[in-house]
Amino acid sequence: QVQLVESGGGLVQPGGSLTLSCVHSGSRFSLDAMAWYRQALGKQRELIASISTSNYTNYDSSVLGRFTISRDNAKNTVYLQMNNLKPEDTAVYYCNAGHWAYDSYFYGDNWGQGTQVTVSA
């Protein structure tokens, strides 16, 4: 099974930036599609960004133009660069290892512990 460890969360002011990282334990990280999800208090966990093995990316409209997902296969790491943060971005952020099929991201069974992002003045 794959183990995932997220890091990089914290408290930032509106308009600020933050970069999240997720380290994948597997030896074949390059074969997995990866994604970032978030879950705000009282809300469902939602997919916000995903990246395929060939670096195709997809974003939820709520973060499009502000967030960038990327991967470094040499480091077994996926990143989420977050710019122009808004209070509504406050949530626990999770990464996931899955795959692409039929033009959709399919999540895997394992999740990391998550990292808290709080956007507040």
Side-chain angles (χ1 to χ4, degrees):
Q1 67 177 359
V2 172
Q3 295 183 75
L4 304 169
V5 180
E6 302 95 339
S7 62
L11 174 64
V12 295
Q13 294 185 346
S17 297
L18 204 60
T19 300
L20 307 182
S21 300
C22 173
V23 179
H24 177 295
S25 68
S27 61
R28 295 291 182 265
F29 169 74
S30 64
L31 300 180
D32 285 338
M34 298 293 295
W36 285 97
Y37 288 73
R38 68 185 180 188
Q39 187 167 18
L41 185 64
K43 295 186 176 181
Q44 300 267 107
R45 187 172 298 186
E46 62 177 348
L47 175 66
I48 58 170
S50 56
I51 185 167
S52 75
T53 57
S54 59
N55 282 166
Y56 170 82
T57 58
N58 186 261
Y59 299 92
D60 183 78
S61 61
S62 65
V63 305
L64 184 65
R66 299 189 298 120
F67 291 11
T68 302
I69 187 171
S70 63
R71 64 193 298 159
D72 185 339
N73 290 346
K75 296 181 178 180
N76 277 27
T77 301
V78 64
Y79 303 94
L80 186 68
Q81 175 66 51
M82 305 184 294
N83 297 320
N84 191 25
L85 284 160
K86 304 175 180 180
E88 54 262 43
D89 295 319
T90 296
V92 178
Y93 285 70
Y94 301 89
C95 70
N96 182 263
H99 65 93
W100 280 93
Y102 310 109
D103 200 34
S104 298
Y105 178 79
F106 286 76
Y107 60 82
D109 291 338
N110 297 300
W111 302 86
Q113 82 288 348
T115 186
Q116 176 72 47
V117 173
T118 301
V119 184
S120 176

